[in-house]
Amino acid sequence: PTGYLTDVAGVIDPGSAARIESIARTLREKTGAELAVVTLPTIDRFEASDVALMIGRRWGVGARAEVGDKIRNAGVIILVVPRREGQAGKIRIEVGDGLQGVPTDATSGRIRDAMRPQLAAGEYGPGLVTGVETTAALVAKDLGDRDSTLVPPRGAASPGAGPPTFLV
């Protein structure tokens, strides 16, 4: 890892990279949960779920808490493999045991759906910012943090609120 964002594919613009790092750092400081964002140019024939899980385990994302602590394994990996000629892109949100159900599979699907238009347009940085902001808001809210830099004010759109206007 090179920080909270590891852009091996080289597709994230500096402004988006700074925003992703800022959100992930704030999430860690406020809640203890960790969020890692990874872009890879290819994962060959491996499943995105297996790659994301391996990254989380090898890097220890969310594993810094003591055994028995509520935030033990409270980590999220967002993996993006950009589309290449003749190969579809991949998006995977993998959650550590400490955050199981915090985004649910359905919510993760909605987050991916919200990211997809920007990613399909080659706007990987803004697409990942969308995913990171939404994921961080869910995790922060679940862990009881109400910091306005992570959780939108009451009445603002949120991932559970319906159609894809849930940017935070």
mmCIF file of all heavy atoms in Angstrom, residues 3-5 20-21 23-25 27-28 31-38 59 61-62 64 74-78 93-94 99 128 131-137 139:
data_model
loop_
_atom_site.group_PDB
_atom_site.id
_atom_site.type_symbol
_atom_site.label_atom_id
_atom_site.label_comp_id
_atom_site.label_asym_id
_atom_site.label_seq_id
_atom_site.Cartn_x
_atom_site.Cartn_y
_atom_site.Cartn_z
ATOM 1 N N GLY A 3 -0.638 4.247 0.915
ATOM 2 C CA GLY A 3 -1.515 5.142 1.672
ATOM 3 C C GLY A 3 -2.884 4.484 1.675
ATOM 4 O O GLY A 3 -3.000 3.271 1.485
ATOM 5 N N TYR A 4 -3.912 5.275 1.853
ATOM 6 C CA TYR A 4 -5.260 4.714 1.778
ATOM 7 C C TYR A 4 -5.651 4.442 0.332
ATOM 8 O O TYR A 4 -6.513 3.629 0.056
ATOM 9 C CB TYR A 4 -6.278 5.654 2.434
ATOM 10 C CG TYR A 4 -6.055 5.789 3.916
ATOM 11 C CD1 TYR A 4 -5.479 6.928 4.451
ATOM 12 C CD2 TYR A 4 -6.408 4.756 4.775
ATOM 13 C CE1 TYR A 4 -5.268 7.041 5.818
ATOM 14 C CE2 TYR A 4 -6.193 4.863 6.142
ATOM 15 C CZ TYR A 4 -5.630 6.011 6.654
ATOM 16 O OH TYR A 4 -5.418 6.115 8.007
ATOM 17 N N LEU A 5 -4.987 5.133 -0.601
ATOM 18 C CA LEU A 5 -5.196 4.911 -2.035
ATOM 19 C C LEU A 5 -3.915 4.356 -2.621
ATOM 20 O O LEU A 5 -2.843 4.951 -2.472
ATOM 21 C CB LEU A 5 -5.555 6.229 -2.738
ATOM 22 C CG LEU A 5 -5.520 6.206 -4.275
ATOM 23 C CD1 LEU A 5 -6.606 5.283 -4.830
ATOM 24 C CD2 LEU A 5 -5.667 7.612 -4.831
ATOM 25 N N ILE A 20 -9.815 11.255 -1.678
ATOM 26 C CA ILE A 20 -9.916 9.872 -1.198
ATOM 27 C C ILE A 20 -9.059 9.690 0.054
ATOM 28 O O ILE A 20 -9.517 9.124 1.056
ATOM 29 C CB ILE A 20 -9.518 8.883 -2.314
ATOM 30 C CG1 ILE A 20 -10.590 8.878 -3.407
ATOM 31 C CG2 ILE A 20 -9.291 7.474 -1.746
ATOM 32 C CD1 ILE A 20 -10.169 8.206 -4.698
ATOM 33 N N GLU A 21 -7.821 10.148 0.015
ATOM 34 C CA GLU A 21 -6.926 10.043 1.174
ATOM 35 C C GLU A 21 -7.512 10.774 2.381
ATOM 36 O O GLU A 21 -7.488 10.261 3.496
ATOM 37 C CB GLU A 21 -5.543 10.621 0.846
ATOM 38 C CG GLU A 21 -4.710 9.748 -0.057
ATOM 39 C CD GLU A 21 -4.093 8.545 0.659
ATOM 40 O OE1 GLU A 21 -4.009 8.538 1.894
ATOM 41 O OE2 GLU A 21 -3.695 7.610 -0.052
ATOM 42 N N ILE A 23 -10.724 11.537 3.086
ATOM 43 C CA ILE A 23 -11.901 10.843 3.628
ATOM 44 C C ILE A 23 -11.475 9.609 4.402
ATOM 45 O O ILE A 23 -11.940 9.371 5.522
ATOM 46 C CB ILE A 23 -12.872 10.453 2.496
ATOM 47 C CG1 ILE A 23 -13.463 11.689 1.847
ATOM 48 C CG2 ILE A 23 -13.987 9.540 3.025
ATOM 49 C CD1 ILE A 23 -14.149 11.406 0.524
ATOM 50 N N ALA A 24 -10.592 8.809 3.833
ATOM 51 C CA ALA A 24 -10.156 7.574 4.487
ATOM 52 C C ALA A 24 -9.409 7.868 5.791
ATOM 53 O O ALA A 24 -9.610 7.179 6.792
ATOM 54 C CB ALA A 24 -9.288 6.751 3.536
ATOM 55 N N ARG A 25 -8.585 8.913 5.792
ATOM 56 C CA ARG A 25 -7.855 9.291 7.000
ATOM 57 C C ARG A 25 -8.835 9.767 8.085
ATOM 58 O O ARG A 25 -8.734 9.364 9.249
ATOM 59 C CB ARG A 25 -6.834 10.390 6.690
ATOM 60 C CG ARG A 25 -5.949 10.768 7.854
ATOM 61 C CD ARG A 25 -4.857 11.785 7.492
ATOM 62 N NE ARG A 25 -5.225 12.798 6.524
ATOM 63 C CZ ARG A 25 -4.963 12.748 5.212
ATOM 64 N NH1 ARG A 25 -4.328 11.711 4.699
ATOM 65 N NH2 ARG A 25 -5.334 13.715 4.411
ATOM 66 N N LEU A 27 -12.012 8.965 8.354
ATOM 67 C CA LEU A 27 -12.758 7.795 8.803
ATOM 68 C C LEU A 27 -11.950 7.026 9.850
ATOM 69 O O LEU A 27 -12.478 6.650 10.896
ATOM 70 C CB LEU A 27 -13.098 6.885 7.618
ATOM 71 C CG LEU A 27 -13.914 5.640 7.965
ATOM 72 C CD1 LEU A 27 -15.325 6.022 8.393
ATOM 73 C CD2 LEU A 27 -13.957 4.696 6.768
ATOM 74 N N ARG A 28 -10.678 6.826 9.594
ATOM 75 C CA ARG A 28 -9.806 6.104 10.533
ATOM 76 C C ARG A 28 -9.693 6.856 11.857
ATOM 77 O O ARG A 28 -9.792 6.283 12.928
ATOM 78 C CB ARG A 28 -8.419 5.907 9.909
ATOM 79 C CG ARG A 28 -7.392 5.302 10.843
ATOM 80 C CD ARG A 28 -7.677 3.834 11.079
ATOM 81 N NE ARG A 28 -6.592 3.202 11.792
ATOM 82 C CZ ARG A 28 -6.671 2.798 13.050
ATOM 83 N NH1 ARG A 28 -7.767 2.946 13.737
ATOM 84 N NH2 ARG A 28 -5.647 2.219 13.635
ATOM 85 N N THR A 31 -13.406 6.899 13.625
ATOM 86 C CA THR A 31 -14.107 5.653 13.946
ATOM 87 C C THR A 31 -13.185 4.474 14.223
ATOM 88 O O THR A 31 -13.619 3.492 14.809
ATOM 89 C CB THR A 31 -15.033 5.226 12.788
ATOM 90 O OG1 THR A 31 -14.228 4.838 11.671
ATOM 91 C CG2 THR A 31 -16.000 6.325 12.403
ATOM 92 N N GLY A 32 -11.957 4.532 13.762
ATOM 93 C CA GLY A 32 -11.054 3.397 13.869
ATOM 94 C C GLY A 32 -11.155 2.446 12.685
ATOM 95 O O GLY A 32 -10.293 1.613 12.477
ATOM 96 N N ALA A 33 -12.209 2.581 11.890
ATOM 97 C CA ALA A 33 -12.369 1.738 10.698
ATOM 98 C C ALA A 33 -11.414 2.207 9.606
ATOM 99 O O ALA A 33 -11.057 3.377 9.550
ATOM 100 C CB ALA A 33 -13.806 1.795 10.190
ATOM 101 N N GLU A 34 -11.022 1.277 8.752
ATOM 102 C CA GLU A 34 -10.103 1.614 7.673
ATOM 103 C C GLU A 34 -10.725 1.314 6.316
ATOM 104 O O GLU A 34 -11.449 0.336 6.159
ATOM 105 C CB GLU A 34 -8.804 0.830 7.817
ATOM 106 C CG GLU A 34 -8.027 1.234 9.043
ATOM 107 C CD GLU A 34 -6.731 0.475 9.202
ATOM 108 O OE1 GLU A 34 -6.674 -0.720 8.854
ATOM 109 O OE2 GLU A 34 -5.769 1.083 9.683
ATOM 110 N N LEU A 35 -10.403 2.174 5.366
ATOM 111 C CA LEU A 35 -10.888 2.013 4.008
ATOM 112 C C LEU A 35 -9.682 2.103 3.087
ATOM 113 O O LEU A 35 -8.918 3.066 3.180
ATOM 114 C CB LEU A 35 -11.899 3.119 3.690
ATOM 115 C CG LEU A 35 -12.594 2.989 2.352
ATOM 116 C CD1 LEU A 35 -14.075 3.323 2.520
ATOM 117 C CD2 LEU A 35 -11.983 3.929 1.357
ATOM 118 N N ALA A 36 -9.478 1.097 2.265
ATOM 119 C CA ALA A 36 -8.377 1.096 1.304
ATOM 120 C C ALA A 36 -8.962 1.054 -0.102
ATOM 121 O O ALA A 36 -9.879 0.286 -0.378
ATOM 122 C CB ALA A 36 -7.470 -0.114 1.526
ATOM 123 N N VAL A 37 -8.428 1.906 -0.964
ATOM 124 C CA VAL A 37 -8.862 1.968 -2.358
ATOM 125 C C VAL A 37 -7.686 1.540 -3.215
ATOM 126 O O VAL A 37 -6.581 2.065 -3.068
ATOM 127 C CB VAL A 37 -9.313 3.392 -2.726
ATOM 128 C CG1 VAL A 37 -9.741 3.463 -4.180
ATOM 129 C CG2 VAL A 37 -10.442 3.857 -1.804
ATOM 130 N N VAL A 38 -7.937 0.581 -4.106
ATOM 131 C CA VAL A 38 -6.867 0.019 -4.919
ATOM 132 C C VAL A 38 -7.316 -0.031 -6.379
ATOM 133 O O VAL A 38 -8.419 -0.492 -6.681
ATOM 134 C CB VAL A 38 -6.509 -1.418 -4.452
ATOM 135 C CG1 VAL A 38 -5.377 -1.990 -5.285
ATOM 136 C CG2 VAL A 38 -6.173 -1.437 -2.972
ATOM 137 N N TRP A 59 -2.582 -6.758 3.685
ATOM 138 C CA TRP A 59 -2.267 -5.412 4.144
ATOM 139 C C TRP A 59 -2.767 -5.162 5.565
ATOM 140 O O TRP A 59 -2.449 -4.150 6.161
ATOM 141 C CB TRP A 59 -2.852 -4.378 3.200
ATOM 142 C CG TRP A 59 -2.199 -4.361 1.849
ATOM 143 C CD1 TRP A 59 -1.165 -5.130 1.405
ATOM 144 C CD2 TRP A 59 -2.554 -3.522 0.759
ATOM 145 N NE1 TRP A 59 -0.864 -4.823 0.100
ATOM 146 C CE2 TRP A 59 -1.696 -3.837 -0.324
ATOM 147 C CE3 TRP A 59 -3.511 -2.536 0.577
ATOM 148 C CZ2 TRP A 59 -1.771 -3.196 -1.549
ATOM 149 C CZ3 TRP A 59 -3.591 -1.899 -0.650
ATOM 150 C CH2 TRP A 59 -2.723 -2.222 -1.693
ATOM 151 N N VAL A 61 -5.926 -4.517 6.509
ATOM 152 C CA VAL A 61 -6.894 -3.425 6.518
ATOM 153 C C VAL A 61 -7.936 -3.686 7.604
ATOM 154 O O VAL A 61 -8.632 -4.692 7.579
ATOM 155 C CB VAL A 61 -7.584 -3.272 5.139
ATOM 156 C CG1 VAL A 61 -8.642 -2.163 5.177
ATOM 157 C CG2 VAL A 61 -6.547 -2.998 4.059
ATOM 158 N N GLY A 62 -7.994 -2.788 8.568
ATOM 159 C CA GLY A 62 -8.955 -2.899 9.651
ATOM 160 C C GLY A 62 -8.546 -3.840 10.767
ATOM 161 O O GLY A 62 -9.301 -4.044 11.704
ATOM 162 N N ARG A 64 -6.055 -3.545 13.013
ATOM 163 C CA ARG A 64 -5.177 -2.986 14.038
ATOM 164 C C ARG A 64 -5.760 -2.994 15.444
ATOM 165 O O ARG A 64 -5.057 -2.777 16.398
ATOM 166 C CB ARG A 64 -4.778 -1.570 13.649
ATOM 167 C CG ARG A 64 -3.863 -1.587 12.439
ATOM 168 C CD ARG A 64 -3.208 -0.248 12.218
ATOM 169 N NE ARG A 64 -2.350 -0.337 11.061
ATOM 170 C CZ ARG A 64 -2.609 0.233 9.903
ATOM 171 N NH1 ARG A 64 -3.682 0.945 9.750
ATOM 172 N NH2 ARG A 64 -1.785 0.097 8.901
ATOM 173 N N ALA A 74 -12.531 -4.085 11.066
ATOM 174 C CA ALA A 74 -13.465 -3.101 10.514
ATOM 175 C C ALA A 74 -12.769 -2.417 9.339
ATOM 176 O O ALA A 74 -12.245 -1.316 9.451
ATOM 177 C CB ALA A 74 -13.886 -2.091 11.578
ATOM 178 N N GLY A 75 -12.722 -3.120 8.233
ATOM 179 C CA GLY A 75 -12.048 -2.606 7.053
ATOM 180 C C GLY A 75 -12.864 -2.821 5.808
ATOM 181 O O GLY A 75 -13.675 -3.747 5.735
ATOM 182 N N VAL A 76 -12.660 -1.926 4.845
ATOM 183 C CA VAL A 76 -13.332 -2.025 3.548
ATOM 184 C C VAL A 76 -12.277 -1.833 2.468
ATOM 185 O O VAL A 76 -11.443 -0.933 2.561
ATOM 186 C CB VAL A 76 -14.419 -0.936 3.375
ATOM 187 C CG1 VAL A 76 -15.072 -1.033 2.004
ATOM 188 C CG2 VAL A 76 -15.454 -1.003 4.476
ATOM 189 N N ILE A 77 -12.325 -2.678 1.457
ATOM 190 C CA ILE A 77 -11.472 -2.541 0.279
ATOM 191 C C ILE A 77 -12.375 -2.194 -0.895
ATOM 192 O O ILE A 77 -13.373 -2.876 -1.131
ATOM 193 C CB ILE A 77 -10.757 -3.862 -0.072
ATOM 194 C CG1 ILE A 77 -9.975 -4.416 1.107
ATOM 195 C CG2 ILE A 77 -9.872 -3.692 -1.308
ATOM 196 C CD1 ILE A 77 -8.791 -3.626 1.503
ATOM 197 N N ILE A 78 -12.032 -1.134 -1.613
ATOM 198 C CA ILE A 78 -12.699 -0.843 -2.884
ATOM 199 C C ILE A 78 -11.653 -1.085 -3.964
ATOM 200 O O ILE A 78 -10.626 -0.409 -4.006
ATOM 201 C CB ILE A 78 -13.240 0.594 -2.950
ATOM 202 C CG1 ILE A 78 -14.271 0.828 -1.842
ATOM 203 C CG2 ILE A 78 -13.844 0.868 -4.340
ATOM 204 C CD1 ILE A 78 -14.823 2.240 -1.783
ATOM 205 N N ILE A 93 -16.357 -4.242 -3.859
ATOM 206 C CA ILE A 93 -16.322 -3.702 -2.505
ATOM 207 C C ILE A 93 -16.313 -4.905 -1.573
ATOM 208 O O ILE A 93 -17.262 -5.685 -1.551
ATOM 209 C CB ILE A 93 -17.531 -2.785 -2.229
ATOM 210 C CG1 ILE A 93 -17.526 -1.605 -3.202
ATOM 211 C CG2 ILE A 93 -17.520 -2.313 -0.766
ATOM 212 C CD1 ILE A 93 -18.756 -0.735 -3.142
ATOM 213 N N GLU A 94 -15.209 -5.059 -0.859
ATOM 214 C CA GLU A 94 -15.047 -6.199 0.054
ATOM 215 C C GLU A 94 -14.982 -5.668 1.476
ATOM 216 O O GLU A 94 -14.291 -4.693 1.752
ATOM 217 C CB GLU A 94 -13.759 -6.959 -0.290
ATOM 218 C CG GLU A 94 -13.632 -8.290 0.341
ATOM 219 C CD GLU A 94 -14.647 -9.307 -0.160
ATOM 220 O OE1 GLU A 94 -14.996 -9.315 -1.353
ATOM 221 O OE2 GLU A 94 -15.102 -10.124 0.674
ATOM 222 N N LEU A 99 -17.197 -5.288 9.836
ATOM 223 C CA LEU A 99 -18.201 -4.416 9.198
ATOM 224 C C LEU A 99 -19.211 -5.209 8.372
ATOM 225 O O LEU A 99 -19.908 -4.633 7.538
ATOM 226 C CB LEU A 99 -17.516 -3.373 8.305
ATOM 227 C CG LEU A 99 -16.676 -2.327 9.029
ATOM 228 C CD1 LEU A 99 -15.958 -1.431 8.031
ATOM 229 C CD2 LEU A 99 -17.523 -1.507 9.981
ATOM 230 N N LEU A 128 -14.401 6.947 -8.070
ATOM 231 C CA LEU A 128 -13.967 6.403 -6.788
ATOM 232 C C LEU A 128 -14.292 7.337 -5.627
ATOM 233 O O LEU A 128 -14.622 6.885 -4.535
ATOM 234 C CB LEU A 128 -12.486 6.063 -6.815
ATOM 235 C CG LEU A 128 -12.207 4.713 -7.459
ATOM 236 C CD1 LEU A 128 -10.738 4.537 -7.791
ATOM 237 C CD2 LEU A 128 -12.684 3.588 -6.562
ATOM 238 N N GLY A 131 -17.762 6.518 -4.631
ATOM 239 C CA GLY A 131 -17.811 5.287 -3.855
ATOM 240 C C GLY A 131 -17.239 5.441 -2.458
ATOM 241 O O GLY A 131 -17.804 4.927 -1.485
ATOM 242 N N VAL A 132 -16.150 6.167 -2.334
ATOM 243 C CA VAL A 132 -15.498 6.355 -1.037
ATOM 244 C C VAL A 132 -16.366 7.210 -0.119
ATOM 245 O O VAL A 132 -16.545 6.893 1.060
ATOM 246 C CB VAL A 132 -14.090 6.963 -1.227
ATOM 247 C CG1 VAL A 132 -13.518 7.474 0.078
ATOM 248 C CG2 VAL A 132 -13.160 5.928 -1.845
ATOM 249 N N GLU A 133 -16.907 8.305 -0.636
ATOM 250 C CA GLU A 133 -17.762 9.162 0.191
ATOM 251 C C GLU A 133 -18.967 8.392 0.718
ATOM 252 O O GLU A 133 -19.310 8.482 1.897
ATOM 253 C CB GLU A 133 -18.243 10.374 -0.605
ATOM 254 C CG GLU A 133 -17.168 11.406 -0.848
ATOM 255 C CD GLU A 133 -17.642 12.579 -1.699
ATOM 256 O OE1 GLU A 133 -18.657 12.447 -2.424
ATOM 257 O OE2 GLU A 133 -16.994 13.630 -1.640
ATOM 258 N N THR A 134 -19.599 7.637 -0.141
ATOM 259 C CA THR A 134 -20.789 6.896 0.255
ATOM 260 C C THR A 134 -20.459 5.786 1.248
ATOM 261 O O THR A 134 -21.139 5.620 2.260
ATOM 262 C CB THR A 134 -21.487 6.312 -0.998
ATOM 263 O OG1 THR A 134 -21.707 7.370 -1.935
ATOM 264 C CG2 THR A 134 -22.812 5.682 -0.637
ATOM 265 N N THR A 135 -19.399 5.051 0.976
ATOM 266 C CA THR A 135 -18.995 3.968 1.868
ATOM 267 C C THR A 135 -18.578 4.511 3.235
ATOM 268 O O THR A 135 -18.984 3.985 4.278
ATOM 269 C CB THR A 135 -17.841 3.155 1.242
ATOM 270 O OG1 THR A 135 -18.274 2.650 -0.036
ATOM 271 C CG2 THR A 135 -17.429 2.002 2.127
ATOM 272 N N ALA A 136 -17.790 5.572 3.248
ATOM 273 C CA ALA A 136 -17.347 6.170 4.511
ATOM 274 C C ALA A 136 -18.536 6.668 5.330
ATOM 275 O O ALA A 136 -18.566 6.501 6.552
ATOM 276 C CB ALA A 136 -16.365 7.309 4.247
ATOM 277 N N ALA A 137 -19.526 7.246 4.668
ATOM 278 C CA ALA A 137 -20.719 7.726 5.381
ATOM 279 C C ALA A 137 -21.465 6.568 6.030
ATOM 280 O O ALA A 137 -21.908 6.670 7.176
ATOM 281 C CB ALA A 137 -21.635 8.489 4.422
ATOM 282 N N VAL A 139 -20.231 3.609 6.975
ATOM 283 C CA VAL A 139 -19.430 3.057 8.061
ATOM 284 C C VAL A 139 -19.459 3.994 9.266
ATOM 285 O O VAL A 139 -19.673 3.565 10.403
ATOM 286 C CB VAL A 139 -17.981 2.786 7.597
ATOM 287 C CG1 VAL A 139 -17.082 2.441 8.766
ATOM 288 C CG2 VAL A 139 -17.967 1.678 6.549
#
